Amino acid sequence: MTLVVTGGAGYVGSVCAQHLLDAGHDVVVVDDLTTGHEDAVPAGARLVVGDVAEVADDVLGAGGVDGVIHCAARSLVGESAEKPAKYWHGNVVTTIALLDAVCRHRVPRLVFSSTAATYGEPESSPITEDAPTRPTNTYGATKLAVDHAIGTYAAASGGELGAVSLRYFNVAGAHAGAGSALGERHTVETHLIPLVLQVALGQRDEIAIFGDDWPTADGTCVRDYIHVDDLAEAHLLALDLLARGDASVIEKAGGHLVCNLGNGTGFSVLEVIEACRRVTGHPIPARVAPRRTGDPGVLVASSARARDELGWKPTHTDLDGIVADAWAFARSRAAG
Ligand code: UFG
């Protein structure tokens, strides 16, 4: 298939693009390179530099596109509170322009990077796709709005468009392929594992633990860490499902299937820091800091639907293994 990956110069998008290339697909990456990196675009993919909303019509209008994987997004929870317009425009307005182009040019398949942040503070754990969606931050609200928009476009397309929204939990690790390493390279880093590894690299003095008074076993927040390679495989399986002639699962879902992606196992902040200490051999000083606004205490996915409907089976579920891949990537970047 010929597939367009928006945000394919970013962390998740670049790994998805690499998996698609490895599976023999043709890949066109669309990325404005504001947060992505040109050298993260896998060799073999064609890069179109531009804003998704501006170039979608040209890229899809050229014809022959079998599907779009839409990863491009603004994704900093904290920033989304300070600059809501950047998130409503960057995530919602942009995606509506993309959806219009998808329908105008009759692209039959769409896979969207949604997020656990659509659920907000969960009532029960693990979180299923039927759980209430009450995002606690603007980022999650914009992603939820896009999920709704995709559902209505798919339903109105009369079967012409099939879509899958994948709700990522905490994506981590790195992809190690032949001659390429793809991992987290955020200019503004807010994610736990890369920040902890920066301490091991001597790039920061300590890691702040955002609260130790949560109602969890050790008092620190619990998250569901999923390896980026397992995450990317789910995108390929979603495309397979959409490409299958008897897409009854998609029909049953009204043209739009929503699936959580996580390992179903939670690890606390302290457990993550311990894993980083084991993997790096560095003592990694840590100090308790106040809770971070908008953080839920526990976020763990039920991925039963992804397993049942997509046939997805994560294979990199060991926390030390996930950290080891992130560490190998961080060290190779630090070494230049
Ligand atoms: N944390 C710390 N110290 C830090 C950074 C993080 O203690 O310096 C804690 C956070 O409080 C949280 C856990 O580590 O409990 C994980 O934090 P991340 O920032 O790595 O990830 P989040 O769980 O906040 O966010 C992730 C995705 C978001 C998505 C969200 C869904 O990165 O894009 O899950 O809730 F919105």
Side-chain angles (χ1 to χ4, degrees), residues 115 117 139 170 190-192 195 208 210 221 223 269 292 295 299:
T115 169
Y139 165 68
N170 287 63
T190 61
H191 292 135
L192 180 64
L195 285 175
F210 295 148
C221 285
R223 294 289 183 270
V269 172
R292 186 170 65 177
D295 263 349
L299 280 179

